[in-house]
Amino acid sequence: MDRKPLHDILTPGDGPRRSKRSATSQTQVREVERERKKRGGGIFQNWKIWGGILLGVALFGFLLSFFFGDARISVHPKQATTFVNGTFSAQKNGGDRKLSYQTISLERTETKEVRATGEEDVEERASGKIVVFNSFSSDSQRLIRNTRFQTPEGLVYRIRDSISVPGFTREDGEIAPGSLEVTVYADEPGEEYNIGLADFKLPGFKDAGLKEQYEDFYARSKTSMTGGFIGVRKSVEEGELARARAELQETLRNDLRNAAQSEKPESFYLFEESIYYTFEASQRESEGDNAFVEEKGTLHGILFEKEALARFIAQETLASYDGGRVEILNPSELSVRIEIGETERPWTLNELPVSLEGEIRLVWNYDEAQLKEDLAGKDKAALPTILSGYQSIERAEVVVRPFWAQAFPENPEEISVSRILD
C-alpha cells in the first residue's frame, strides 16, 4: 500500500496553531518576570528614600540639640517646723538680730447726707498734716503731747499725742534731717485757722532758752488746715448721726485696710491684729433740710519685715539655726498681738511688747541667680561640690538636654531652677 506523505495526514493549520500557542506562553512568562523584578526594585527604592529621610531628621535633631540644649534643676531647700509662744520686746527700726518693726499711716474721708432736724451753735478747730524735721541731733527727739507749732503770722497748732522725731543722718557729708508726719490741731476754733501751706517753728524751745533746738527743729505743712468754724449749723438727731457715723466708719475700715495691704512694701507683713483705726467726725455745710456728715478715718499699721521676722523666730526657737536667710511658709498661722493698753497709741512709741504664737514652717532661701552662675559651663559631676557651698540646700536633681550632654549650658539663662517643698 502506498504511504501518504506526512503533510497529507495533518489538516491544514494544525502545525502553525501549536507553534503560536507556545510562543505566546513564553512571552507571558517573560512579561511576568519583568513585572516581578520591576515591583521588587520599586520597594527597594522606596526603602532607600524613607531611610534617607529618617537619617536626615535624626541628623537635624542632633544638630538642633546643640543650639537648644538646656538644664533643669529641682532644688530641695532646708525646712523646719517650729513653735513660737512668747512676748518679745520689739524696737522701731531695730537691728538685724532684734524683733523690729516700722509703721504705716493712711487717711481717707467719707461723707453721708442725712436729714437735719434742728440747729445748734458750733465751734470747731481746724486741723491738717505737717512734717516735723530734726536737724539738731542724730538721736531721736521726743516731743510731748500739746507741743506747739507756730506760723510766722502767730497762729498756733498743737499735737494731741507725744511723738518721737528720728535723728538726722549724713549723706555725702551733708546732714539729712530726720522727719515725721503728724496731725496738728488749731489752738482756737474758728475759720481764721483755715490756712494753706505754711512753715512752723516750735516756740517751746525758745521759751526754754534752747536756742539751738529752736533753730534746728522746724515743720512744714503737708496739707492745708481745714475745718475751723464758729457759728450756727443745722443739727442731726443723735440716733441718726450715730447710724451715719457707724456706716461711714465701716466703709472707711474696709477702704483703709485694702489700701494699706496694696500700698505697703511687698517685703513686709501687715497683720490684722497690728492695725489700728482712729476716727474724727465733723459736719459740713447744709443744703435745705439735709446736712452732710463727714468722717475722717486714719489707719495706723505696725509692719514687720518678712525675712527679719522669720530670722528672729528661727533664732529664738531653733537651737540648730545657722543664721541663714529664712522665710515663713504659713504666715496666716502666726498670731501677732501688740500687748498694750486700749488707750495707748502704739504707732507713737519706739518700743512695743509683741506677742508671737503659732506653729511655723520655715524654709531656707538661696541665691538662685548665683546658683545658675556657679553651675554654668560646669561638668554635671561637679553638682555635689557646687551644692556643698549652699548650706540652705539639702539636695537637688538635675536634667540636662540633650541627654548625652555631660556639662551644664555655658549661658546661665539656659538653666532653670525650681524650688521643691517636701
Side-chain angles (χ1 to χ4, degrees), residues 352-385:
L352 295 173
V354 178
S355 171
L356 303 176
E357 182 179 358
E359 187 175 42
I360 305 303
R361 291 179 59 205
L362 298 173
V363 61
W364 271 247
N365 288 327
Y366 55 90
D367 190 332
E368 181 177 312
Q370 186 60 52
L371 179 60
K372 290 181 180 181
E373 289 284 349
D374 292 342
L375 292 172
K378 302 296 192 307
D379 193 280
K380 287 194 297 185
L383 179 62
T385 302

Side-chain angles (χ1 to χ4, degrees), residues 401-414:
R401 298 187 303 178
F403 66 88
W404 59 80
Q406 296 301 310
F408 290 94
E410 294 284 347
N411 185 356
E413 296 301 319
E414 294 174 0

Side-chain angles (χ1 to χ4, degrees), residues 30-97:
R30 285 194 296 271
E31 289 178 352
V32 170
E33 184 65 23
R34 283 197 301 270
E35 185 64 27
R36 184 183 67 78
K37 290 181 178 180
K38 182 178 179 181
R39 288 198 299 270
I43 293 172
F44 180 72
Q45 291 293 334
N46 288 340
W47 276 111
K48 288 200 296 183
I49 293 172
W50 282 109
I53 292 174
L54 292 174
L55 181 62
V57 170
L59 181 61
F60 178 74
F62 177 78
L63 294 174
L64 202 62
S65 67
F66 284 96
F67 295 98
F68 295 98
D70 62 6
R72 300 177 182 179
I73 181 168
S74 299
V75 172
H76 298 258
K78 284 177 61 176
Q79 297 180 64
T81 298
T82 187
F83 187 80
V84 60
N85 184 13
T87 299
F88 308 91
S89 178
Q91 305 291 324
K92 190 172 185 178
N93 303 314
D96 287 342
R97 300 192 63 83

Side-chain angles (χ1 to χ4, degrees), residues 293-314:
V293 176
E294 183 176 88
E295 192 83 11
K296 181 171 72 173
T298 304
L299 175 147
H300 303 279
I302 309 300
L303 299 175
F304 297 90
E305 202 273 328
K306 292 180 178 179
E307 189 170 303
L309 180 59
R311 187 168 54 246
F312 178 81
I313 292 174

Side-chain angles (χ1 to χ4, degrees), residues 177-224:
S179 62
L180 182 70
E181 182 179 309
V182 65
T183 300
V184 292
Y185 301 84
D187 211 28
E188 301 286 344
E191 296 182 3
E192 65 177 308
Y193 285 87
N194 296 335
I195 62 173
L197 303 183
D199 292 331
F200 299 84
K201 295 297 291 182
L202 283 72
F205 285 130
K206 186 176 182 180
D207 295 345
L210 301 174
K211 182 178 180 181
E212 291 186 22
Q213 286 94 323
Y214 180 73
E215 294 296 330
D216 293 334
F217 270 91
Y218 56 95
R220 289 174 179 159
S221 296
K222 185 170 183 180
T223 67
S224 299

